[in-house]
Amino acid sequence: MTKTLYDHANVIFREKSDVLGLLLNTIPDVFVNNENDSGLGKCEIIVDKMSRIIFTLINDGKVFKKFSFNFPFTLKENDEDEDDEDAAYRNKWVIFDLEGERITNQIISILKILFEDDAFVDRIHSDIEPLDFYEQILQAIKEVDLDVTISDNYIWRLVRYLYLFEPGYLRYDYDDTESRRNAINHPLHHLDFYFSSNVTLKLGIADDDKQYRNWKLDSFETLLNNNKPCYYLKLT
């Protein structure tokens, strides 16, 4: 069965490679094809002082998870000639790296092939040689049917950038699993910071549903926006 975008999103993130996998599956579905799985939630990108991609997951009409991470590229609306006979097949958005180089569908396909071949795993096996990794890049380029030449050096620069960029992962959870929920260390409504088990931490939200309803309207997005007023913690 083919996975939908929200099959990829509705999982537990434990490593940076999990974030990269979702990013590479999001770009074709949302920013290229402009598709969104409204039955389970939505995906959006917010660009202000920051640049973040935000997922909202819904079950039975209730938001049970929102999470966000850094969108590591630049996104611009495609303003090419609308009278072009290929307009129906043109991407809605144009994506660039931070150096201004355009990220094409073929480049995303190459990166997805590398991801599926475990090129982005966080724990690199000691038997893997640098030349083996380079060979993976060459093979991925070869697998994509290209009309233009894509430099192996450029793919390597992109891979290195994705290895090193800061995800800034943050998640809101509504977790009503009775066996897990308790007011001391697993509140019903909470924020999870980071994804690695070595550094993750929780922050409870509100004391009751009324406070939560007031908080949830747009507070997750506001919390992420440095141009909005700062939130304060109240210690009790």
Side-chain angles (χ1 to χ4, degrees):
M1 180 182 295
T2 303
K3 282 188 174 182
T4 67
L5 176 59
Y6 282 91
D7 290 328
H8 291 286
N10 191 20
V11 297
I12 297 175
F13 292 81
R14 290 288 182 244
E15 297 183 340
K16 187 174 181 179
S17 56
D18 298 327
V19 172
L20 293 177
L22 178 57
L23 173 68
L24 294 174
N25 281 289
T26 299
I27 289 174
D29 279 6
V30 176
F31 301 125
V32 173
N33 301 323
N34 197 32
E35 295 179 359
N36 214 332
D37 188 349
S38 58
L40 188 55
K42 64 180 180 179
C43 171
E44 57 189 335
I45 188 167
I46 295 181
V47 178
D48 198 324
K49 192 174 179 180
M50 79 310 193
S51 178
R52 279 186 166 273
I53 185 168
I54 299 177
F55 285 85
T56 302
L57 304 187
I58 299 172
N59 187 24
D60 292 332
K62 179 180 293 185
V63 174
F64 70 93
K65 183 182 297 185
K66 276 180 176 274
F67 65 93
S68 171
F69 53 85
N70 175 16
F71 185 71
F73 302 123
T74 299
L75 192 68
K76 296 181 180 178
E77 192 163 6
N78 196 339
D79 59 359
E80 293 175 0
D81 185 5
E82 291 295 334
D83 294 328
D84 185 348
E85 62 181 6
D86 294 325
Y89 303 99
R90 193 170 57 240
N91 297 347
K92 178 177 176 60
W93 303 96
V94 183
I95 301 172
F96 298 90
D97 66 15
L98 297 187
E99 302 300 323
E101 294 283 342
R102 184 167 177 172
I103 306 292
T104 64
N105 296 347
Q106 290 93 345
I107 290 172
I108 294 299
S109 295
I110 291 169
L111 293 175
K112 287 183 71 173
I113 290 171
L114 289 171
F115 173 79
E116 290 163 3
D117 288 341
D118 294 330
F120 288 100
V121 293
D122 294 45
R123 297 175 181 84
I124 301 176
H125 196 277
S126 58
D127 291 339
I128 295 178
E129 298 289 341
L131 289 179
D132 293 336
F133 184 76
Y134 186 70
E135 183 62 34
Q136 275 187 282
I137 292 177
L138 293 176
Q139 183 60 36
I141 293 174
K142 186 177 179 181
E143 285 185 37
V144 177
D145 185 18
L146 299 176
D147 296 326
V148 296
T149 300
I150 292 179
S151 160
D152 51 342
N153 183 55
Y154 178 67
I155 296 298
W156 161 241
R157 293 205 327 264
L158 270 182
V159 169
R160 184 176 183 274
Y161 171 63
L162 291 174
Y163 263 124
L164 297 176
F165 93 99
E166 180 182 349
Y169 180 85
L170 176 67
R171 183 178 76 246
Y172 158 75
D173 272 341
Y174 170 83
D175 191 344
D176 61 352
T177 306
E178 192 167 339
S179 61
R180 289 163 54 86
R181 188 181 77 235
N182 66 77
I184 302 300
N185 53 28
H186 202 111
L188 178 64
H189 305 289
H190 63 268
L191 294 174
D192 281 304
F193 294 83
Y194 320 118
F195 45 79
S196 169
S197 58
N198 292 328
V199 296
T200 187
L201 57 95
K202 284 182 172 55
L203 178 65
I205 300 172
D207 294 325
D208 53 45
D209 281 345
K210 181 179 179 180
Q211 291 181 32
Y212 166 67
R213 285 195 299 272
N214 292 334
W215 184 89
K216 76 173 185 177
L217 295 176
D218 61 357
S219 294
F220 186 80
E221 289 80 1
T222 301
L223 180 67
L224 296 170
N225 193 334
N226 289 327
N227 280 332
K228 299 290 186 180
C230 181
Y231 279 115
Y232 285 81
L233 295 177
K234 181 180 179 180
L235 300 180
T236 57

